[in-house]
Amino acid sequence: MPATAPRCYTLLGAPFDGAATLGWPGSRYAPARIRDAMGWILQRRENGQIYCLDHGQLHPFPEDLFADGGDVAVVAHDLEATLRAAADGVRETLAAGRVPILLGGDDSLLFPAARGLAEAGEGTVAVVHLDAHLDLLDRNEQQGSHSHSSGMRRAAELPAVDVSASVQLGARHFNFPSSLRFREAQGLRNIPAAEIHRRGTERVAEEVLAHVAGADRVLLAFDIDCIDPAHAPGAGAHEPGGLTSFQALDLVQRLAPRADAMVLTEVNPLTDLHEQTANLAAYLVAHFVVHGGLPGTAGPAPTLEA
């Protein structure tokens, strides 16, 4: 049988934080800063390859592996139009045979990323959601129905999203009792940050891959605040006790081959320190691309200890 062609990736910016109703706004500036940081990484490509020291391996990196598709048609005053444009960007990128990476912006963008992936084909979608928070708020007077507190709730309502095959990683501290009731009723798996610290990223990633195995497609949704603010100060909210930068990178490396799209949100240049968080976000994107592998593969077998 002929070999399956390597997947190619397209970066889409969504410079929008109009749904950042809590915490600090400012994530609209993140796509530009992350793109700048990507240049530091991409200049290490030589002759269609890049060398990953984490595993001591050369990886293919041809010219068309990674492309910048520009920004989606954000409408600053119109949340619904912006969410629709983001979903269209994800869907159209998939229709072109490429893997979309949607850069927020605030975490309301989880919903259109899931929507675009769901609209791109038949079958079910699982969401692997890395976040300090559950984002399962239905609605309230101040935040409405679409905010950075409700992205996962709105995604769970999409007919194609298999909530029981989805999983949340990195949550910590306190949340609404109504979110617990929703999780229990829907069978939504949650692996909090404390459990990841105890068990290590290798075992957790293996469990996640087994959990999403029944879904046809997978969205990797990454809110930067799943990482401890000591490692990612440029975030919309600070929750101590989060993942280390190493744990986050290792999880992305291990999960990337199974993911059909990625959305990365809540990087906030206004609270960042010396571009530390934008740089980390760029490395998360780079590892997602480099370790994404072929469709359906289990990915590299890292020897790193979590």
Coordinates of all heavy atoms in Angstrom, one line a residue, residues 191-267:
I191 N -9.2 15.1 34.7 CA -7.9 14.8 35.3 C -7.3 16.1 35.8 O -6.7 16.8 35.0 CB -7.0 14.0 34.3 CG1 -7.6 12.8 33.7 CG2 -5.7 13.6 35.1 CD1 -6.8 12.0 32.7
P192 N -7.4 16.4 37.1 CA -6.9 17.7 37.6 C -5.4 17.7 37.6 O -4.7 16.7 37.5 CB -7.5 17.7 39.0 CG -7.8 16.3 39.4 CD -8.1 15.6 38.1
A193 N -4.9 19.0 37.7 CA -3.5 19.2 37.8 C -2.8 18.3 38.9 O -1.7 17.8 38.7 CB -3.2 20.6 37.9
A194 N -3.5 18.3 40.0 CA -2.9 17.5 41.1 C -2.6 16.0 40.8 O -1.6 15.4 41.1 CB -3.8 17.6 42.4
E195 N -3.6 15.5 40.0 CA -3.4 14.1 39.6 C -2.3 13.9 38.5 O -1.5 12.9 38.5 CB -4.7 13.6 39.0 CG -4.7 12.1 38.7 CD -6.1 11.6 38.2 OE1 -7.1 12.2 38.5 OE2 -6.1 10.5 37.5
I196 N -2.1 14.9 37.6 CA -1.1 14.9 36.7 C 0.3 14.9 37.4 O 1.2 14.2 37.0 CB -1.2 16.0 35.6 CG1 -2.5 15.8 34.9 CG2 0.0 16.0 34.7 CD1 -2.9 17.0 33.9
H197 N 0.4 15.8 38.4 CA 1.6 15.9 39.2 C 2.0 14.5 39.8 O 3.1 14.1 39.9 CB 1.5 17.0 40.2 CG 1.5 18.4 39.7 ND1 2.3 18.8 38.7 CD2 0.7 19.4 40.0 CE1 2.1 20.1 38.4 NE2 1.1 20.5 39.2
R198 N 0.9 13.9 40.4 CA 1.2 12.6 41.1 C 1.5 11.5 40.1 O 2.4 10.7 40.4 CB -0.1 12.2 41.9 CG -0.3 13.1 43.1 CD -1.3 12.4 44.0 NE -2.6 12.3 43.4 CZ -3.6 13.2 43.5 NH1 -3.4 14.3 44.2 NH2 -4.7 13.0 42.9
R199 N 0.8 11.4 39.0 CA 1.0 10.3 38.1 C 2.0 10.4 37.0 O 2.5 9.4 36.4 CB -0.4 9.9 37.5 CG -1.4 9.5 38.5 CD -2.8 9.3 37.8 NE -2.7 8.3 36.8 CZ -3.5 8.2 35.8 NH1 -4.5 9.1 35.6 NH2 -3.4 7.2 34.9
G200 N 2.3 11.7 36.6 CA 3.2 11.9 35.5 C 2.5 12.0 34.2 O 1.4 11.4 33.9
T201 N 3.1 12.7 33.2 CA 2.5 13.0 32.0 C 2.4 11.8 31.1 O 1.5 11.6 30.2 CB 3.2 14.1 31.2 OG1 4.6 13.9 31.2 CG2 3.0 15.5 31.9
E202 N 3.4 10.9 31.2 CA 3.4 9.7 30.3 C 2.1 8.8 30.5 O 1.4 8.5 29.6 CB 4.6 8.9 30.4 CG 4.7 7.7 29.5 CD 6.0 6.9 29.6 OE1 6.9 7.3 30.3 OE2 6.2 6.0 28.8
R203 N 1.9 8.5 31.8 CA 0.7 7.7 32.1 C -0.6 8.4 31.8 O -1.5 7.8 31.3 CB 0.8 7.3 33.6 CG 1.8 6.3 34.0 CD 1.8 6.0 35.4 NE 0.6 5.5 35.9 CZ 0.2 5.4 37.2 NH1 1.0 5.8 38.1 NH2 -1.0 4.8 37.5
V204 N -0.6 9.7 32.1 CA -1.8 10.5 31.8 C -2.1 10.5 30.3 O -3.2 10.3 29.9 CB -1.8 11.9 32.4 CG1 -2.9 12.8 31.9 CG2 -1.8 11.8 33.9
A205 N -1.1 10.8 29.5 CA -1.3 10.8 28.1 C -1.7 9.5 27.5 O -2.6 9.4 26.6 CB 0.0 11.2 27.4
E206 N -1.2 8.4 28.0 CA -1.7 7.1 27.6 C -3.2 6.9 27.9 O -3.9 6.3 27.1 CB -0.9 6.0 28.3 CG 0.6 5.9 27.8 CD 1.4 4.9 28.7 OE1 0.9 4.4 29.7 OE2 2.6 4.6 28.3
E207 N -3.6 7.3 29.1 CA -5.0 7.2 29.5 C -5.9 8.1 28.5 O -7.0 7.7 28.1 CB -5.2 7.6 30.9 CG -6.6 7.5 31.4 CD -6.8 7.9 32.8 OE1 -5.9 7.6 33.6 OE2 -7.8 8.5 33.2
V208 N -5.4 9.3 28.2 CA -6.2 10.2 27.4 C -6.3 9.6 26.0 O -7.4 9.6 25.4 CB -5.5 11.6 27.3 CG1 -6.1 12.4 26.2 CG2 -5.6 12.3 28.7
L209 N -5.2 9.1 25.4 CA -5.3 8.5 24.1 C -6.3 7.3 24.1 O -7.0 7.1 23.1 CB -3.9 8.1 23.6 CG -2.9 9.2 23.4 CD1 -1.5 8.7 23.1 CD2 -3.4 10.0 22.2
A210 N -6.3 6.5 25.1 CA -7.2 5.4 25.2 C -8.7 5.9 25.3 O -9.6 5.3 24.7 CB -6.9 4.5 26.4
H211 N -8.8 7.0 26.0 CA -10.2 7.5 26.3 C -10.8 8.1 25.0 O -12.0 8.0 24.8 CB -10.1 8.6 27.4 CG -11.4 9.1 27.9 ND1 -12.2 8.4 28.7 CD2 -12.1 10.2 27.6 CE1 -13.3 9.0 29.0 NE2 -13.3 10.2 28.3
V212 N -10.0 8.7 24.2 CA -10.5 9.4 23.0 C -10.5 8.4 21.8 O -10.9 8.8 20.7 CB -9.7 10.7 22.6 CG1 -9.8 11.6 23.8 CG2 -8.3 10.4 22.2
A213 N -10.1 7.2 22.0 CA -9.9 6.3 20.8 C -11.1 6.1 20.0 O -11.0 5.8 18.8 CB -9.3 4.9 21.4
G214 N -12.3 6.1 20.6 CA -13.5 5.8 19.9 C -14.0 7.0 19.0 O -14.9 6.8 18.2
A215 N -13.5 8.2 19.2 CA -13.9 9.3 18.4 C -13.3 9.3 17.1 O -12.1 8.8 16.9 CB -13.6 10.6 19.2
D216 N -14.0 9.9 16.1 CA -13.4 10.0 14.7 C -12.4 11.1 14.6 O -11.4 10.9 13.8 CB -14.5 10.2 13.7 CG -15.5 9.1 13.7 OD1 -15.1 8.0 13.2 OD2 -16.7 9.3 14.2
R217 N -12.5 12.2 15.3 CA -11.6 13.3 15.2 C -11.4 13.9 16.6 O -12.3 13.7 17.5 CB -12.1 14.4 14.3 CG -11.9 14.0 12.8 CD -12.9 14.8 11.9 NE -14.2 14.3 12.1 CZ -15.3 15.1 11.9 NH1 -15.2 16.3 11.6 NH2 -16.5 14.6 12.1
V218 N -10.3 14.5 16.8 CA -9.9 15.0 18.2 C -9.5 16.5 18.0 O -8.6 16.8 17.2 CB -8.8 14.2 18.8 CG1 -8.4 14.8 20.1 CG2 -9.3 12.8 19.1
L219 N -10.0 17.3 18.9 CA -9.6 18.7 19.0 C -8.7 18.8 20.3 O -9.1 18.4 21.4 CB -10.8 19.7 19.2 CG -10.4 21.1 19.6 CD1 -9.6 21.8 18.5 CD2 -11.7 21.9 19.9
L220 N -7.5 19.3 20.1 CA -6.6 19.7 21.3 C -6.8 21.1 21.6 O -6.4 22.0 20.8 CB -5.2 19.4 20.9 CG -4.2 19.6 22.1 CD1 -4.5 18.7 23.3 CD2 -2.7 19.4 21.6
A221 N -7.5 21.4 22.7 CA -7.8 22.8 23.1 C -6.9 23.1 24.3 O -7.0 22.5 25.4 CB -9.3 22.9 23.5
F222 N -6.1 24.1 24.1 CA -5.1 24.5 25.1 C -5.2 25.9 25.6 O -4.9 26.8 24.8 CB -3.7 24.2 24.5 CG -2.6 24.1 25.5 CD1 -2.0 22.9 25.7 CD2 -2.1 25.2 26.2 CE1 -1.0 22.7 26.6 CE2 -1.1 25.0 27.1 CZ -0.5 23.8 27.3
D223 N -5.7 26.1 26.8 CA -5.7 27.4 27.4 C -4.4 27.5 28.2 O -4.1 26.6 29.0 CB -6.9 27.5 28.4 CG -7.1 28.8 29.1 OD1 -6.0 29.5 29.3 OD2 -8.2 29.2 29.4
I224 N -3.7 28.6 28.0 CA -2.3 28.7 28.5 C -2.3 28.7 30.0 O -1.3 28.4 30.7 CB -1.6 29.9 28.0 CG1 -0.1 29.8 28.0 CG2 -2.1 31.2 28.6 CD1 0.5 28.8 27.1
D225 N -3.5 29.0 30.7 CA -3.5 29.0 32.1 C -3.5 27.6 32.8 O -3.5 27.5 34.0 CB -4.6 29.9 32.7 CG -6.0 29.4 32.5 OD1 -6.2 28.2 32.3 OD2 -7.0 30.2 32.5
C226 N -3.6 26.6 31.9 CA -3.3 25.2 32.5 C -1.9 25.1 33.1 O -1.6 24.3 33.9 CB -3.6 24.1 31.5 SG -2.4 23.9 30.2
I227 N -1.0 26.0 32.6 CA 0.4 26.0 33.0 C 0.4 27.0 34.2 O -0.2 28.0 34.3 CB 1.3 26.5 31.9 CG1 1.1 25.6 30.7 CG2 2.7 26.6 32.4 CD1 1.9 26.0 29.5
D228 N 1.3 26.6 35.2 CA 1.4 27.4 36.4 C 1.9 28.8 36.0 O 2.8 29.0 35.1 CB 2.4 26.7 37.3 CG 2.5 27.4 38.7 OD1 3.2 28.4 38.9 OD2 1.8 26.9 39.6
P229 N 1.4 29.9 36.7 CA 1.8 31.2 36.3 C 3.3 31.5 36.5 O 3.8 32.4 36.0 CB 1.0 32.1 37.2 CG 0.4 31.2 38.3 CD 0.3 29.9 37.7
A230 N 4.0 30.6 37.3 CA 5.4 30.8 37.4 C 6.1 30.5 36.1 O 7.2 31.1 35.8 CB 6.0 29.8 38.4
H231 N 5.5 29.7 35.2 CA 6.0 29.4 33.9 C 5.4 30.2 32.8 O 5.9 30.3 31.7 CB 5.9 27.9 33.6 CG 6.6 27.0 34.6 ND1 7.8 26.4 34.3 CD2 6.2 26.5 35.8 CE1 8.2 25.7 35.4 NE2 7.2 25.7 36.3
A232 N 4.1 30.6 33.1 CA 3.3 31.3 32.0 C 2.6 32.5 32.7 O 1.4 32.5 32.9 CB 2.3 30.4 31.4
P233 N 3.4 33.6 33.0 CA 2.8 34.7 33.7 C 1.8 35.5 32.7 O 0.9 36.2 33.2 CB 4.0 35.6 34.1 CG 5.0 35.2 33.1 CD 4.8 33.8 32.8
G234 N 2.0 35.4 31.4 CA 1.2 36.1 30.5 C -0.1 35.4 30.2 O -0.2 34.8 29.1
A235 N -1.0 35.4 31.1 CA -2.3 34.6 31.0 C -3.4 35.5 31.4 O -3.2 36.6 32.1 CB -2.2 33.4 31.8
G236 N -4.6 35.1 31.1 CA -5.8 35.9 31.5 C -6.2 35.7 32.9 O -7.0 36.5 33.4
A237 N -5.7 34.7 33.6 CA -6.0 34.4 35.0 C -4.8 33.7 35.5 O -4.2 32.9 34.8 CB -7.3 33.7 35.2
H238 N -4.5 33.9 36.8 CA -3.4 33.2 37.5 C -3.9 32.2 38.5 O -4.6 32.6 39.5 CB -2.4 34.2 38.1 CG -1.6 34.9 37.2 ND1 -0.8 36.0 37.6 CD2 -1.4 34.8 35.8 CE1 -0.1 36.4 36.5 NE2 -0.5 35.7 35.4
E239 N -3.7 30.9 38.3 CA -4.1 29.8 39.2 C -2.8 29.1 39.6 O -2.3 28.3 38.8 CB -5.1 28.9 38.6 CG -6.4 29.6 38.1 CD -7.4 29.9 39.2 OE1 -7.1 29.6 40.4 OE2 -8.4 30.4 38.9
P240 N -2.4 29.2 40.8 CA -1.2 28.4 41.2 C -1.4 26.9 41.2 O -2.5 26.5 41.3 CB -0.9 29.0 42.7 CG -2.2 29.5 43.1 CD -2.9 30.0 42.0
G241 N -0.3 26.2 41.2 CA -0.3 24.8 41.2 C -0.5 24.1 39.9 O -0.9 22.9 39.8
G242 N -0.3 24.8 38.8 CA -0.5 24.3 37.5 C 0.6 23.4 36.9 O 1.6 23.1 37.6
L243 N 0.5 23.1 35.7 CA 1.5 22.3 35.0 C 2.8 23.1 34.9 O 2.8 24.3 34.8 CB 1.0 21.8 33.6 CG -0.3 21.1 33.5 CD1 -0.6 20.7 32.1 CD2 -0.3 19.9 34.5
T244 N 3.9 22.4 34.8 CA 5.1 23.0 34.5 C 5.2 23.2 33.0 O 4.5 22.5 32.2 CB 6.4 22.2 35.0 OG1 6.4 21.0 34.2 CG2 6.3 21.9 36.5
S245 N 6.1 24.0 32.5 CA 6.3 24.1 31.0 C 6.7 22.8 30.4 O 6.3 22.4 29.4 CB 7.3 25.2 30.7 OG 8.6 25.0 31.3
F246 N 7.6 22.0 31.2 CA 8.0 20.7 30.7 C 6.8 19.8 30.5 O 6.6 19.1 29.5 CB 9.0 20.1 31.6 CG 9.3 18.6 31.2 CD1 10.2 18.3 30.2 CD2 8.7 17.6 31.9 CE1 10.4 17.0 29.8 CE2 8.9 16.3 31.6 CZ 9.8 16.0 30.5
Q247 N 5.9 19.7 31.6 CA 4.8 18.8 31.5 C 3.9 19.2 30.3 O 3.3 18.3 29.6 CB 4.0 18.9 32.8 CG 4.7 18.2 34.0 CD 3.9 18.5 35.3 OE1 3.5 19.6 35.6 NE2 3.9 17.5 36.1
A248 N 3.6 20.5 30.1 CA 2.8 20.9 29.0 C 3.4 20.5 27.7 O 2.7 20.0 26.8 CB 2.6 22.4 29.1
L249 N 4.6 20.8 27.5 CA 5.3 20.4 26.2 C 5.2 18.9 26.0 O 5.0 18.4 24.9 CB 6.7 20.9 26.2 CG 6.9 22.4 26.1 CD1 8.3 22.9 26.5 CD2 6.6 22.9 24.7
D250 N 5.5 18.1 27.1 CA 5.5 16.7 26.9 C 4.1 16.2 26.6 O 3.9 15.3 25.7 CB 6.0 16.0 28.2 CG 6.3 14.6 28.1 OD1 6.9 14.2 27.0 OD2 6.0 13.8 29.0
L251 N 3.1 16.7 27.2 CA 1.7 16.3 26.8 C 1.4 16.6 25.4 O 0.8 15.8 24.7 CB 0.7 17.0 27.8 CG 0.6 16.4 29.2 CD1 -0.3 17.3 30.1 CD2 0.0 15.0 29.1
V252 N 1.8 17.8 24.9 CA 1.5 18.1 23.5 C 2.2 17.2 22.6 O 1.7 16.7 21.6 CB 1.9 19.6 23.3 CG1 1.9 19.9 21.8 CG2 0.9 20.5 23.9
Q253 N 3.5 16.9 22.9 CA 4.2 15.9 22.0 C 3.5 14.6 21.9 O 3.4 14.0 20.8 CB 5.6 15.7 22.6 CG 6.6 16.9 22.5 CD 7.9 16.7 23.1 OE1 8.2 15.6 23.5 NE2 8.7 17.7 23.2
R254 N 3.0 14.1 23.0 CA 2.4 12.8 23.1 C 1.0 12.8 22.5 O 0.6 11.8 21.9 CB 2.3 12.3 24.5 CG 3.7 12.1 25.1 CD 3.6 11.7 26.6 NE 4.9 11.6 27.3 CZ 5.7 10.6 27.2 NH1 5.4 9.5 26.5 NH2 6.9 10.6 27.8
L255 N 0.3 13.9 22.6 CA -1.1 13.9 22.1 C -1.2 14.4 20.6 O -2.2 14.2 20.0 CB -2.0 14.8 23.0 CG -2.1 14.4 24.5 CD1 -2.8 15.4 25.3 CD2 -2.7 13.0 24.6
A256 N -0.2 15.1 20.1 CA -0.3 15.7 18.8 C -0.6 14.8 17.7 O -1.4 15.1 16.8 CB 1.0 16.5 18.5
P257 N -0.1 13.5 17.7 CA -0.4 12.7 16.5 C -1.9 12.3 16.4 O -2.3 11.9 15.3 CB 0.5 11.4 16.8 CG 1.6 11.9 17.6 CD 1.0 13.0 18.5
R258 N -2.6 12.3 17.5 CA -4.0 12.0 17.5 C -4.9 13.1 17.3 O -6.1 13.0 17.0 CB -4.4 11.3 18.9 CG -5.8 10.7 19.0 CD -6.0 9.6 18.0 NE -7.3 9.0 18.1 CZ -8.4 9.5 17.5 NH1 -8.3 10.5 16.6 NH2 -9.6 8.9 17.6
A259 N -4.4 14.4 17.3 CA -5.2 15.6 17.2 C -5.4 16.0 15.7 O -4.4 16.0 15.0 CB -4.6 16.7 18.0
D260 N -6.6 16.4 15.4 CA -6.9 16.8 14.0 C -7.0 18.3 13.9 O -7.1 18.9 12.8 CB -8.2 16.2 13.6 CG -8.2 14.7 13.6 OD1 -7.7 14.1 12.6 OD2 -8.7 14.1 14.6
A261 N -6.9 19.0 15.1 CA -6.9 20.5 15.1 C -6.5 20.9 16.5 O -6.6 20.1 17.4 CB -8.3 21.1 14.8
M262 N -6.0 22.1 16.6 CA -5.5 22.7 17.8 C -6.0 24.1 18.0 O -6.1 24.8 17.0 CB -4.0 22.7 18.0 CG -3.5 23.2 19.3 SD -1.6 23.2 19.3 CE -1.3 23.5 21.0
V263 N -6.5 24.5 19.2 CA -6.8 25.9 19.5 C -6.0 26.2 20.7 O -6.0 25.5 21.7 CB -8.3 26.1 19.6 CG1 -8.9 25.2 20.7 CG2 -8.6 27.6 20.0
L264 N -5.3 27.3 20.7 CA -4.4 27.8 21.8 C -4.9 29.2 22.2 O -4.8 30.1 21.3 CB -3.0 27.7 21.4 CG -1.9 27.8 22.5 CD1 -0.6 27.2 22.1 CD2 -1.7 29.3 22.9
T265 N -5.3 29.4 23.4 CA -5.9 30.6 23.8 C -5.3 31.2 25.1 O -4.6 30.5 25.8 CB -7.4 30.4 24.1 OG1 -7.6 29.4 25.1 CG2 -8.1 29.9 22.8
E266 N -5.7 32.4 25.4 CA -5.5 33.1 26.7 C -4.1 33.6 26.9 O -3.8 34.0 28.1 CB -6.1 32.3 27.8 CG -7.6 32.1 27.8 CD -8.4 33.4 28.1 OE1 -7.8 34.4 28.6 OE2 -9.6 33.4 27.7
V267 N -3.2 33.5 26.0 CA -1.9 34.1 26.1 C -2.1 35.7 26.1 O -2.8 36.2 25.3 CB -0.9 33.8 25.0 CG1 0.4 34.6 25.1 CG2 -0.6 32.3 25.0

